[in-house]
Amino acid sequence: MAPTILVVGATGNTGRSTVETLSRFLKTSSFLSGYRIVALTRSSKGLAAQELAKLPGVEVIEKNWIEVTADWLLENEVVRAFVASQPSVGQFTEESMFLVAALQASVKYVVRISTCAPNVRPDSRAFYPRSHWALEALLGTPEFEALQWTSLQPNSFSPLYLHTSVEFIKQYRKTGKQGTLRILGSEDTPLAIIDPYDIGVFAAHLLAQEDPTPYNKAKYVLNGPEDISGHELVKLVEQHIGTKVEDVIFKDTTFLDFYADNSPDPRNIILSIGESMKVMWEGLCNAATTSKQVLELAAPTHTPAEVLKRLLEE
């Protein structure tokens, strides 16, 4: 068996591009020439998993990542790992279990996905940024000194942010009638939403470094390549429907009611997610805040217009 880079959630938003990019690096990097990539997924029969399995140097393994143990990591010779855990109430418990196992198994380097930097604080009113703060604090303790790590703090994901716009356009094209265009952002505040694919590409560049020491204990802010305001998004939508949008609601968080109604977790905890949106409305998540290391190593390239077009074609 060869030294292994483990990608947790390989078929997810960021994991897929991480695997694809690492697979390409196996051909071009002398350092990675002897490595293999393990793409971990809960279903190896899905189309995305089957596509990843065709890539050079990639082995797809069906396993729930929260059940990964130190023994399993040792058996699979995992020396580096990528982790993108879901923002759930149990997030700290699940990811910290994995990180402890990685430490026990002498994994050398972990790249993890955090969340929007201004929210990662112990007094965040939204529940999930506190989990990220706690996980970064855990990794920063002397007990974890042997495990090198980098935490990526991305802005709002483009597909999620643009979802209501995509549905609005599709409905209009199908029926010729407009509903209400609901936009998460504010009307005038610039916001640099980021394509998850770009996040995975940057993560792969980090994992491919022969010496990750310069990136150890780093927290990098990731934004998309350009800002867009709610007003500018309306203009994009109008370009696609060929007429003026009649009814718009900005700062819309009504989707959280549906989420809370269908979640097994307490309603007040789920609704607290709305508090995390305020940093976007306050202008704290624009393109200028992107970490310089991101721009130097693998600058994001997918603009809001490009992502919107892609989503409409899917």
Side-chain angles (χ1 to χ4, degrees):
M1 197 175 294
T4 298
I5 300 176
L6 174 68
V7 179
V8 169
T11 57
N13 281 331
T14 54
R16 186 165 185 173
S17 57
T18 304
V19 174
E20 292 174 353
T21 307
L22 283 171
S23 178
R24 290 195 295 270
F25 284 159
L26 294 182
K27 299 179 182 179
T28 60
S29 169
S30 58
F31 166 66
L32 291 180
S33 61
Y35 278 68
R36 70 169 184 149
I37 302 160
V38 166
L40 209 64
T41 178
R42 284 179 291 183
S43 175
S44 60
K45 297 179 181 178
L47 179 60
Q50 291 176 8
E51 289 298 318
L52 292 179
K54 298 175 184 177
L55 298 175
V58 175
E59 179 182 351
V60 173
I61 294 180
E62 184 174 307
K63 187 176 181 64
N64 190 334
W65 76 280
I66 63 176
E67 298 174 355
V68 168
T69 63
D71 286 343
W72 187 91
L73 293 169
L74 286 167
E75 289 168 6
N76 285 275
E77 296 189 28
V78 175
V79 294
R80 299 186 178 197
F82 169 82
V83 184
S85 57
Q86 294 295 317
S88 65
V89 173
Q91 182 177 17
F92 177 82
T93 299
E94 293 171 355
E95 188 171 339
S96 64
M97 286 289 288
F98 178 88
L99 294 172
V100 169
L103 180 68
Q104 293 174 333
S106 299
V107 173
K108 303 302 181 184
Y109 183 45
V110 170
V111 176
R112 64 175 302 274
I113 302 294
S114 180
T115 191
C116 185
N119 282 326
V120 184
R121 47 191 296 170
D123 61 345
S124 171
R125 292 187 179 184
F127 78 92
Y128 70 93
R130 295 196 302 271
S131 295
H132 286 296
W133 173 84
L135 288 161
E136 291 174 353
L138 175 87
L139 287 167
T141 60
E143 289 82 358
F144 274 82
E145 190 66 28
L147 177 62
Q148 292 187 309
W149 59 276
T150 304
S151 197
L152 309 186
Q153 299 178 326
N155 189 9
S156 179
F157 285 11
S158 301
L160 175 62
Y161 187 86
L162 296 173
H163 174 73
T164 51
S165 298
V166 171
E167 294 305 308
F168 180 91
I169 294 169
K170 287 183 176 179
Q171 176 185 314
Y172 181 80
R173 288 176 173 176
K174 183 178 181 180
T175 66
K177 298 180 180 179
Q178 294 190 26
T180 298
L181 176 58
R182 299 178 181 273
I183 294 177
L184 185 58
S186 66
E187 183 174 5
D188 300 314
T189 306
L191 175 66
I193 56 178
I194 185 167
D195 190 346
Y197 194 92
D198 286 335
I199 300 171
V201 170
F202 179 68
H205 276 76
L206 289 172
L207 290 163
Q209 298 297 307
E210 183 170 359
D211 179 13
T213 303
Y215 308 98
N216 185 31
K217 297 185 175 69
K219 304 170 189 177
Y220 294 136
V221 175
L222 289 89
N223 295 299
E226 63 181 40
D227 295 323
I228 188 169
S229 66
H231 175 72
E232 289 167 336
L233 179 53
V234 172
K235 292 298 182 184
L236 268 182
V237 171
E238 290 175 342
Q239 290 175 19
H240 283 279
I241 65 174
T243 189
K244 186 175 178 60
V245 172
E246 298 168 357
D247 185 25
V248 186
I249 297 177
F250 297 103
K251 297 183 180 180
D252 182 80
T253 59
T254 53
F255 71 95
L256 289 174
D257 291 316
F258 176 81
Y259 185 12
D261 289 342
N262 292 275
S263 172
D265 298 316
R267 183 177 180 82
N268 66 309
I269 293 179
I270 299 303
L271 292 179
S272 75
I273 294 173
E275 295 291 336
S276 68
M277 313 300 175
K278 293 180 178 178
V279 296
M280 298 189 298
W281 304 336
E282 295 167 356
L284 301 180
C285 303
N286 55 59
T289 64
T290 302
S291 297
K292 66 180 181 65
Q293 293 86 350
V294 176
L295 300 176
E296 292 169 353
L297 201 59
T301 60
H302 294 85
T303 67
E306 291 170 341
V307 177
L308 180 61
K309 183 176 183 295
R310 185 188 75 212
L311 294 173
L312 288 170
E313 293 171 350
E314 290 179 352

